[in-house]
Amino acid sequence: MKIVKTGLILILVVAAIGTIFGALLIHRGFRANQNPLPFEASVARAMRNFAIPNGERRSKNPLDSSAEVIEQGRTYYVHRCAICHGEDGTARTHVGANLYPKAPDLRADATQNLTDGEIHYIIENGVQLTGMPAVHGESAGDSWKLVSFIRSFRSSPSQTQSLQTTHYVGSQTCAKCHSDIYERWKKTPMANVVRDPHEYPDAIIPDLATNKVSQFTKDQIAFVYGAIWKQRYFTKVGDDYFPLPAQWVVGTREWKPYKVPATGADWWTQYYPDDNMQRPTGPTCDGCHSVGYDIHTKQVAEWNVGCERCHGPGREHAAHPTRGNIVNPAAMDSVAATDTCIQCHSQGRPLTVPLEGKYYDWPVGYNVGLRLADFWKLEDCTLGQTNFLYFPDCTAHKNRMQGNDFVQSLMYRRGVTCASCHDVHGTSNSAQLRKPADQLCLDCHSPSSPNGPHTATLEEHTHHKAGSAGSQCIACHMPKIESEGVSGAFVHAHTFRFISPAETDKYKIPNPCASCHQDKSTKWAADAMNHWREQSPWTPML
């Protein structure tokens, strides 16, 4: 009888709290973008915690926190949770910010201090009187995998702390515990940008004897740079490296001169003589093509973009492996995580110019985990003007400007990061994408999704047959319009803006319609779009 009475009392208490909280919501008009009053937040937490049985609260995650489990949890999270909580867990999304109460920041102590069992129960059962629904996995263990992924949001140590207590150990040391990741990374461009032809005889692609532009021998080549679009060759004089004056164009299989023009090109050229042999690569290149480049000794911890370029010095972690003594961009907020990539995938200049009398084309002093804007300034763009770097709408037309593009995008403002789409550890997909491009896009932008497109089918949105080139998301939203220079190749824009035919007519920016239908005019493309029922009549006039 006592148990029955206790149960009735609990039910009445919950009902009373629910009534009070519901009344508060009605009184406040369910207003979005409004933080709950302290009392409301306390009531909501009390209701949530009260609903969790003690046995569930004490439950431990039966799964380990391996990279595989966390990656599976991430996939589940992207499908079911990111629309409200954001790719980075901070809830900086249109949907999450307009819930009442707002979707919580999963990185915050309020979430991370919950037990595994409490998080699991909330996932499985939702939270009443909030926008958190019950989320049931497609297979056994999905909810626990999601718990593992949410735990990965725990803060990493700052890079300042890490540098004070540890030093670089090299990527091969990381391979001892992370062999699968290491083996995948070894095959990526990140791991093979810089190669010593004496150590790797196959690094030189062409027959040097065919070079009629400016001949040099293998013995003169200290390093080979690149192998995808073009290959360049650096020689060593003293403790500096210098670019030789000829490059191999991979696509056309021909030799071309290599020298950055003294005017009308990169900002730093005005500070160096118009001679390759007086332009050392330390200030202009090596800081991004290595780990731990020291501007005073001109030495590196490791050539290429190794593990510690993105995870910080790892000696302490290698000796005592814990999450608390290594930097992990995946556990950072979206700005800091993306800064890890922007530091090199952008055009800009250091805030201090010159720095100790030299002109550097990379962010000297920045280490992953710090605030890149304290060291680096992205190149300015003036709307309506075409210059060496930008089209008139501020979309880049030069490569290595993915960061300049991306920070302008709505995706960036909503917390999407470079790692949301790319896995620099290596994949079998183009550009190290986590999935084929369309699959990635449709994870968040499936037909009728709140994120759009707002059509019943993909074909209604693209006006092209499914599976065709014109039906690919990246064909229209990431057109290949950014030049790789002498190679003649183009890479994808990262603003995710659709460039209309009218913008081509007004500003000479290539649009995806005419880029594909090269036999058609911009008028033809604009007329076709005017007949799309879901298309605003004003968009083509932008």
Side-chain angles (χ1 to χ4, degrees), residues 318-352:
H320 309 285
T322 71
R323 289 186 182 179
N325 59 15
I326 194 68
V327 178
N328 185 0
M332 297 175 184
D333 64 74
S334 59
V335 174
T338 304
D339 278 352
T340 305
C341 304
I342 291 178
Q343 61 170 311
C344 290
H345 287 269
S346 66
Q347 292 282 351
R349 61 189 75 185
L351 297 187
T352 302

Side-chain angles (χ1 to χ4, degrees), residues 429-541:
N429 300 308
S430 173
Q432 314 306 320
L433 290 175
R434 292 183 176 274
K435 299 178 182 179
D438 277 359
Q439 291 182 32
L440 267 177
C441 300
L442 294 175
D443 276 349
C444 298
H445 297 281
S446 56
S448 299
S449 161
N451 293 327
H454 304 294
T455 55
T457 67
L458 186 62
E459 289 81 359
E460 288 180 57
H461 174 67
T462 67
H463 296 268
H464 289 77
K465 291 181 180 179
S468 67
S471 190
Q472 293 179 356
C473 306
I474 59 175
C476 290
H477 295 282
M478 298 183 69
K480 277 191 171 184
I481 60 174
E482 305 192 358
S483 174
E484 265 296 328
V486 68
S487 70
F490 289 84
V491 296
H492 292 281
H494 278 68
T495 59
F496 301 97
R497 289 194 292 259
F498 173 73
I499 300 168
S500 71
E503 288 177 282
T504 300
D505 289 338
K506 287 185 177 181
Y507 306 116
K508 309 306 178 189
I509 310 168
N511 73 83
C513 304
S515 296
C516 185
H517 299 277
Q518 296 183 4
D519 60 330
K520 303 294 186 180
S521 66
T522 51
K523 182 180 184 305
W524 169 85
D527 289 345
M529 290 178 61
N530 281 330
H531 289 88
W532 296 356
R533 286 189 302 168
E534 83 290 353
Q535 177 68 47
S536 164
W538 314 118
T539 299
M541 298 177 63

Side-chain angles (χ1 to χ4, degrees), residues 165-423:
T165 58
T166 191
H167 299 283
Y168 295 109
V169 293
S171 297
Q172 285 188 329
T173 301
C174 305
K176 296 174 183 176
C177 295
H178 304 280
S179 58
D180 175 65
I181 291 175
Y182 177 81
E183 290 303 321
R184 286 192 286 125
W185 165 79
K186 281 291 289 182
K187 300 173 185 175
T188 67
M190 291 285 193
N192 295 283
V193 172
V194 181
R195 302 184 82 192
D196 181 345
H198 302 92
E199 183 179 355
Y200 301 98
D202 62 340
I204 299 174
I205 298 174
D207 179 353
L208 296 178
T210 64
N211 176 14
K212 307 302 181 185
V213 174
S214 179
Q215 291 187 336
F216 44 81
T217 66
K218 179 180 176 180
D219 289 339
Q220 290 176 270
I221 302 173
F223 282 131
V224 169
Y225 267 47
I228 298 176
W229 294 292
K230 49 192 176 284
Q231 188 169 81
R232 292 169 179 164
Y233 310 92
F234 289 10
T235 192
K236 188 174 185 180
V237 179
D239 56 2
D240 282 317
Y241 296 89
F242 298 87
L244 292 165
Q247 59 186 324
W248 174 255
V249 181
V250 176
T252 59
R253 298 185 59 80
E254 61 181 326
W255 288 96
K256 291 285 186 71
Y258 174 59
K259 187 181 74 170
V260 178
T263 58
D266 296 278
W267 67 271
W268 53 265
T269 57
Q270 62 182 302
Y271 301 106
Y272 288 89
D274 189 18
D275 177 0
N276 282 8
M277 294 306 296
Q278 296 188 63
R279 294 175 172 182
T281 63
T284 57
C285 308
D286 296 345
C288 279
H289 293 160
S290 67
V291 176
Y293 182 91
D294 188 316
I295 64 171
H296 300 113
T297 65
K298 303 179 184 178
Q299 300 298 306
V300 302
E302 179 181 1
W303 285 107
N304 293 302
V305 184
C307 306
E308 293 164 297
R309 182 73 203 219
C310 301
H311 293 284
R315 188 173 71 178
E316 180 66 22
H317 180 73
H320 309 285
T322 71
R323 289 186 182 179
N325 59 15
I326 194 68
V327 178
N328 185 0
M332 297 175 184
D333 64 74
S334 59
V335 174
T338 304
D339 278 352
T340 305
C341 304
I342 291 178
Q343 61 170 311
C344 290
H345 287 269
S346 66
Q347 292 282 351
R349 61 189 75 185
L351 297 187
T352 302
V353 178
L355 181 63
E356 297 183 12
K358 293 185 178 180
Y359 297 86
Y360 291 88
D361 196 28
W362 50 275
V364 177
Y366 169 77
N367 290 288
V368 62
L370 300 180
R371 186 173 180 268
L372 181 60
D374 291 337
F375 303 87
W376 188 242
K377 180 181 183 298
L378 296 180
E379 291 288 5
D380 289 332
C381 173
T382 302
L383 285 169
Q385 294 182 12
T386 299
N387 60 22
F388 174 68
L389 301 168
Y390 294 102
F391 286 115
D393 72 336
C394 290
T395 298
H397 64 70
K398 185 179 184 296
N399 186 37
R400 213 198 79 190
M401 293 189 67
Q402 292 89 348
N404 303 66
D405 273 357
F406 188 48
V407 296
Q408 303 176 47
S409 72
L410 182 62
M411 305 275 274
Y412 177 79
R413 294 198 295 274
R414 292 290 185 262
V416 175
T417 70
C418 304
S420 299
C421 300
H422 301 274
D423 181 355

